[in-house]
Each structure stands twice: as C-alpha cells, then as structure tokens.
Amino acid sequence: MVSNLAGGRPPRHGLEPGSQLGALEAYAAQAHGYLTAGDDQLSQLAGLLRPLILESWLRSVRAGIDPMDPGSERGLRGPDLQRYRDAHTIAPLLPLIDKLLVQDTARTGLIVVVADQFGRVLWIHGNPEQVAVASDMGLREGDDLSERRVGANAVGLVVRTGRAVWTHGPEHYLHRLHQLTGAAAPVHDPDGRLVGVLMIAGGVRVAKPEILALVKATATAAEMDLLLAAMRAAQHAARDPVPVATDRLGLDVLGLGQPQLNKAGERVALSQRHAEILLLLAEHTEGLGADHLALLLDDTDLDNGTIRAAMSRLRAVVGSNVIGSRPYRLRSHVATDVEALRAALDSGDVESALRLYAGPVLPRSAAPGIVDLRDELRARLRAAVLGSGDEGVLRRWTAGADGRDDAAAWAAYRSAVDRDSPLYAQIEAKIRVLDRRLGADATRMQRSRS
C-alpha cells in the first residue's frame, strides 16, 4: 500500500518540473525502499513513480543493475576520449553551446553536460568546484550514462526515448545520483538521427520549467547549425562531386539468418563483423572516424589497426570504391532492411513494418552501436503495434518471438477482441499464464538473493 504522503496522492503522471517536488521526492524515496526489499515488492512501485521513471526502473531491475553501484573508473579516458570527441559530429557546436548555455549557467553553480547519441559524456562545463562535486557522484567525462549502464537518469532517458526529459533526486535509479537534478534535451541531425544530448545538472534549482525550456531551445539552435552545415556541404559536393560506385547494394540484417549483401543482383553472405560495419556506416551517412567506429563495435579493446584490417577485408567484398576514408563513409547508398522498416514506421504503416521485421537487428551481435540500434528499432515497432489497436497487427506480434511473452501486447490484444469471440478466452488464458510465470520468476530471483 502507498503511505499517506502528500495527502496520499502520488505525483501526477504529467508532472512538470517545479511542481510537487516534495511529494515526488517522498514517493521516490519510498520506492527505493521497496526496491531494496526485493522482487516480491516490485509491484508496489507502480503508484510511486512517474510512468517514464517506473519503466526505466523495471528495465534496470531486469538488467541486473545494482542501485548501490558506487561507480568505477571504467570509461573512455585520456587520448582515446580526446580523439573520439574531437571527431564527433557535435564538436563543432561547442562555441554555440558555450554561448547559449554554458556562460550563464556556470555562474549559477550549475554544470552543462554534453553527451553523444549513446549517452557517453563528452564534455562537462561549469565551475570547477561543481564539476568536482559531480565527479564525486561518478559523473565524469568519458563515462557512459546510458540507461543500460546506470539506470534512470536524464541523459539515458533522452537516448532511450528521443525526447526532452528531467529527473530529480531519488528518481535516479542509482543512489549516488540522488543529489542530482538533470534537465536534458536531444540534438538531431538533419536526417532526424540522434547525435547528442545536452543536459543542465545540479541541485533542486534545475527542477524549474524555464531550465528545461532553455536546454530545449539550445538543442534546437544546435540542430539548425547542423542543418546549415549540411546545406553548405551539399553545395560544395555539387561543385566538386566525389566519384561513387554505380552498383546498387542492399543489406539484410533483420532476423536470425546470416547477414546478406545484395550486390548487382547476387546475394553474398557476410560475416558478422562486416555486416556490423556496413550497417553502422549506412546509419551514419556523415561518416565515422576510426576511434568512433571502434567504440561502436567494441567499447573495450579494438584499436585503429584492427579497424583498418577489417575495413580492408570488407572492401574486398563490397568493392574498393564503395567505402571512403578519413572518415570511413559510404560513397554510394546501401539500401538496408532496417531503413525500409524505419520508413514503414515513419509512414504509420504498421502492417508493412511487421512484415518487414524478420527479427531483431543482427541478434548475435554484442557491438554497442548495434545493440542500441536493435533496442531502438524493436521498442519503436512495439510501441507502434501496441498503439495500433488493430486486432490483426496484435495477433501477428503476439505470435512472434518478440511478442510471445509480451504481457502488455496480450492485454492490448484482449482489448481489441470482442468479448464474445472464442479468441477472447484464449487470450485471457495466455495472460493468466504470463502472470503466473512473472510471479514464479520473481520468487526464484528472491530465493537466489537470499
């Protein structure tokens, strides 16, 4: 049961920064108590946290993230970090970010965090004393703030959702971040892809609507700068075109089968690594430096020599004139089944999207860039399916591997089916099986911890 805090009413689902902060803190603190109590208490969280935060916490529990994690020195550091961020798309925007965001906020004791599209912190600007305080919390340049690493936080949620968000105090999944409030907004390139995240962080002063509005306005200005740069580059390319390959190339990476390259009508089997590289280059049309590509493929051990060797072998497969260098980039369009699926979702054609979805993106790949793409695409497709309310769409999703045990999808399917239909009883039975299984899993996890 929810205790009688703030009049017994949990914070509203659409809570704006600056409102009901006392109630939010109290309920989030109580939620941490249930989190510590074990899996059999997780059902108590639903009335205590905003839905966005609740979903993030539950994903963190399933991922096995420890809310008491003290942090570590693991991250991109020194020359590796310097090379990576200097080559990053968002680096040329720093003067604009400094002018619009850093100069004023630094004087108020707040800090500005600039992260990449995966949640890795590239720069932290602000008063040295406040930057040191953030470092003590485990918020340092080179650290990974993605949800899959540290649970609910403003940067990680922007990466996850693509929308501006704020998190306050104990809403953070990790205890070491409970003194932090963050307001963050996404920066997209002209093609709509996430390229970075801007965040103002500090104490309770950040929990004001005008702070989130300021971050969003700066992100919008940064996007306009990227658009102007792309227009100038297009004009330059028109004056001095780069030779491109003429053969049409296609890449299939969805599902459990072997990745395939369609080259001049011939289908060629690709190795996992070659498929990863080709897909990442197709997703990053602006090109990728060797350091950036290495980080997307493996955030621990790959060096530039390994990347060069892999690229040389890939060129032998796709053609020597398909991939340019410095940065590595595709010199002609490679049509991917990921691109086709995304286009179907963009147009609202959920049925076509489901037909195209043969399975997860390169399901055997553990490359960070591929994992993030896989999660993003599956989450977007699932949201479209659940939001469709279409009986046929929901039937197809729940019949597949991704939706077979998706309790929310089965509930949506039940809502789309007439109560008098024989299907309704079958769906009800499946939901009861899932409920029992969820309870059994929670019991086993609790026993394994005791």
Side-chain angles (χ1 to χ4, degrees):
M1 294 293 293
V2 176
S3 65
N4 188 29
L5 296 169
R9 299 176 60 192
R12 293 180 290 107
H13 287 184
L15 188 68
E16 293 294 328
S19 61
Q20 302 187 42
L21 284 183
L24 184 150
E25 291 174 4
Y27 280 104
Q30 187 176 352
H32 273 282
Y34 286 124
L35 186 65
T36 304
D39 297 303
D40 57 341
Q41 295 294 314
L42 294 183
S43 61
Q44 304 290 340
L45 300 179
L48 299 171
L49 299 167
R50 291 186 283 152
L52 180 72
I53 304 298
L54 173 62
E55 292 166 6
S56 178
W57 277 37
L58 294 178
R59 286 191 296 267
S60 300
V61 170
R62 290 194 293 268
I65 300 173
D66 181 3
M68 301 305 295
D69 171 35
S72 69
E73 291 302 316
R74 189 174 186 274
L76 204 59
R77 303 283 187 254
D80 291 335
L81 173 62
Q82 189 66 45
R83 284 193 299 269
Y84 174 60
R85 63 187 184 182
D86 285 353
H88 197 273
T89 305
I90 211 166
L93 301 174
L94 286 180
L96 175 71
I97 296 168
D98 180 74
K99 179 179 179 181
L100 298 181
L101 211 57
V102 176
Q103 291 180 10
D104 290 334
T105 56
R107 288 194 291 267
T108 65
L110 304 177
I111 61 173
V112 174
V113 175
V114 182
D116 71 3
Q117 67 271 39
F118 306 107
R120 187 176 297 279
V121 178
L122 302 181
W123 294 275
I124 299 179
H125 297 287
N127 180 289
E129 182 178 339
Q130 298 305 318
V131 172
V133 170
S135 179
D136 290 340
M137 296 181 191
L139 179 56
R140 297 175 295 262
E141 292 180 341
D143 282 357
D144 186 349
L145 292 185
S146 66
E147 183 191 77
R148 65 191 177 97
R149 295 289 190 193
V150 299
N153 71 93
V155 169
L157 287 171
V158 169
V159 171
R160 178 90 189 186
T161 66
R163 302 192 304 270
V165 300
W166 66 285
T167 53
H168 175 61
E171 286 190 311
H172 290 90
Y173 186 78
L174 296 188
H175 279 255
R176 61 181 165 86
L177 298 178
H178 282 191
Q179 301 305 310
L180 190 72
T181 299
V187 178
H188 298 94
D189 69 10
D191 293 326
R193 295 191 181 95
L194 183 69
V195 294
V197 181
L198 305 181
M199 177 175 71
I200 291 180
V204 70
R205 286 177 298 167
V206 176
K208 296 180 180 179
E210 55 266 31
I211 296 294
L212 185 59
L214 175 61
V215 181
K216 291 167 67 174
T218 305
T220 299
E223 290 174 348
M224 291 302 298
D225 250 29
L226 289 175
L227 177 59
L228 290 172
M231 292 172 63
R232 288 193 292 269
Q235 291 170 352
H236 177 74
R239 292 193 301 268
D240 185 20
V242 176
V244 299
T246 56
D247 289 341
R248 179 172 175 80
L249 296 173
L251 177 65
D252 293 334
V253 294
L254 292 172
L256 290 170
Q258 174 131 22
Q260 299 278 332
L261 177 71
N262 191 322
K263 181 181 179 185
E266 179 186 359
R267 295 185 68 79
V268 180
L270 287 179
S271 71
Q272 179 92 342
R273 180 61 87 200
H274 286 170
E276 290 169 347
I277 293 173
L278 203 54
L279 179 58
L280 289 170
L281 292 179
E283 289 288 304
H284 295 266
T285 55
E286 75 283 3
L288 293 167
D291 290 324
H292 192 175
L293 181 57
L295 196 63
L296 296 178
L297 291 170
D298 187 328
D299 59 8
T300 54
D301 297 326
L302 288 187
D303 57 29
N304 288 354
T306 304
I307 293 295
R308 284 194 297 271
M311 201 63 69
S312 176
R313 290 190 291 269
L314 178 58
R315 285 191 176 104
V317 175
V318 301
S320 59
N321 61 340
V322 172
I323 302 174
S325 299
R326 297 181 181 179
Y328 295 120
R329 67 195 184 283
L330 294 176
R331 301 175 72 181
S332 62
H333 179 65
V334 174
T336 71
D337 50 0
V338 168
E339 178 185 33
L341 174 56
R342 193 180 281 123
L345 289 171
D346 288 343
S347 66
D349 188 351
V350 186
E351 289 187 12
S352 293
L354 268 179
R355 284 195 297 271
L356 289 164
Y357 188 69
V361 178
L362 294 174
R364 298 183 183 89
S365 173
I370 300 298
V371 170
D372 288 331
L373 175 60
R374 181 193 305 147
D375 290 347
E376 176 264 325
L377 202 63
R378 182 191 179 280
R380 189 177 171 196
L381 177 61
R382 178 179 181 270
V385 168
L386 267 62
S388 71
D390 184 282
E391 178 183 338
V393 165
L394 288 159
R395 178 173 62 249
R396 184 176 181 127
W397 176 257
T398 51
D402 286 272
R404 193 172 295 135
D405 295 325
D406 186 340
W410 281 100
Y413 188 14
R414 179 178 57 187
S415 298
V417 172
D418 191 286
R419 280 181 172 269
D420 296 328
S421 167
L423 272 177
Y424 193 89
Q426 297 176 28
I427 296 169
E428 279 274 279
K430 176 66 175 182
I431 290 174
R432 287 195 294 271
V433 169
L434 290 176
D435 288 344
R436 286 197 300 271
R437 186 182 302 167
L438 181 62
D441 288 345
T443 301
R444 280 195 297 271
M445 289 178 67
Q446 180 64 25
R447 287 173 178 170
S448 68
R449 290 182 178 180
S450 59

